[in-house]
Amino acid sequence: MDGPQPGGELMNRILETRVLAPEVKYFRIEAPKVARKRKAGQFVIIRVTGTGERIPLTIMDSNPDDGWISLIVQGVGKTTRTLNELETGDSVHDLAGPLGMPSEIHEYGRAVVIGGGVGTAIAYPTAVALAEAGNDVVSIIGGRSREFVLLEDEMRAVCTEVYPTTDDGSYGYHGFVTDKLAELIADGPSIDHVIAVGPVPMMQAVAEVTRPHGIDTVVSLNPIMVDGTGMCGGCRVSVGDETKFACVDGPDFDAHQVDFELLARRNRTYSAFEYYRNEEFTEEHIHVDPVGSS
Ligand code: FAD
Ligand code: NAD
Ligand code: FES
């Protein structure tokens, strides 16, 4: 379908860009209708060009008065890298949203928000909403090395404690976010709620750290999405042995009920196609067998 999706906006102008880390870029984009309605945990589906794929991106922040939303994009494949080449003054072809269920926000008490890599951008709006609801918010933000620890200043502005972690020990706590979480659970005070966003193995590991302690834990799932409106079934996940569509039932789910193995397997479905699409092909790479030759 060319043109905007129902409820979508066309030719959204980019008002600001900033490189935050290698292959990670911040965008402030004109999207007045989305800015008016969005809540923490919701996302948009963007098409960078009229013939491109639709990709889901979480809304990091918004300003309903000035009519913009902000996004943080990690370049991992064709569409995210094409988007990351755009600069202030360029436009994305269309943008639909806000989509998905907002994060459930209550006054839990002591809440820990965990972001792994670009997952921190997705967890940030939930940290803001939890703080606004009166929670004592602690955040653990991990990266492979110092340059991949995102939004530390923004998290410090809304959290009572912030623990940066790095896999290589180049900054903050030396270890995975889950190591720091286990330490916080052991040291107290007690934790009432955890939300974790990041790579699938990280979210699975967080679930296993909190499970024996019975700590209420939510993860924001990232299955492959196509339409984002519950029509195609592309984003189906298994939660408590029930099939759910992450785009309309989620993306937040009870971490202790998620079938992470299935999610990881389904996310690998198109890896071979993505690999070949990202390779540079010239005519001599293409060998066409005449029909019926083999
Ligand atoms: P492709 O060439 O299609 O894929 C490259 C690699 O990324 C492959 O390994 C592929 O398996 C993996 N991939 C593909 N789709 C997804 C996906 N949906 N989630 C995770 N990995 C994927 N990314 C951000 O950078 N910022 C965000 O705020 C953000 N929010 C998201 C919110 C939701 C609800 C979901 C489902 C995903 C979100 N993502 C976000 C991930 C982003 O949508 C994917 O990285 C993007 O679709 C990849 O498209 P591509 O064409 O660049 O890469
Ligand atoms: P990364 O692989 O560098 O990991 C970030 C941090 O997560 C690490 O520093 C570590 O603290 C933790 N971590 C990673 N593996 C772990 C494990 N096995 N056990 C415990 N902790 C672990 O992350 P990246 O390169 O920034 O990539 C971001 C990832 O987030 C991608 O895999 C992408 O698919 C995923 N992602 C998730 C969402 C979502 O909504 N959940 C959205 C976008 C991207
Ligand atoms: Fe199609 Fe969720 S993306 S049903």
Side-chain angles (χ1 to χ4, degrees), residues 50 53 71 149 157 186 193 206 213 238 241 254 267-268:
E53 273 184 353
L71 309 169
V149 174
H193 179 74
V206 167
H213 303 278
S238 178
D241 288 331
D254 178 348
N267 274 359
R268 285 195 295 271

Side-chain angles (χ1 to χ4, degrees), residues 74 116-119 122 142-144 165 167 175-178 197-199 201-203 205 220-222:
Q74 182 181 39
V118 77
I122 296 162
R144 270 165 277 156
T165 72
D167 305 1
F176 279 171
V177 287
T178 40
V197 193
M202 174 215 128
M203 295 191 286
S220 175
L221 298 186
N222 59 331

Side-chain angles (χ1 to χ4, degrees), residues 45 224-236 245-248:
I45 291 231
I224 289 168
M225 290 189 179
V226 183
D227 63 318
T229 59
M231 305 291 284
C232 71
C235 67
R236 66 183 184 278
F245 290 167
C247 67
V248 287

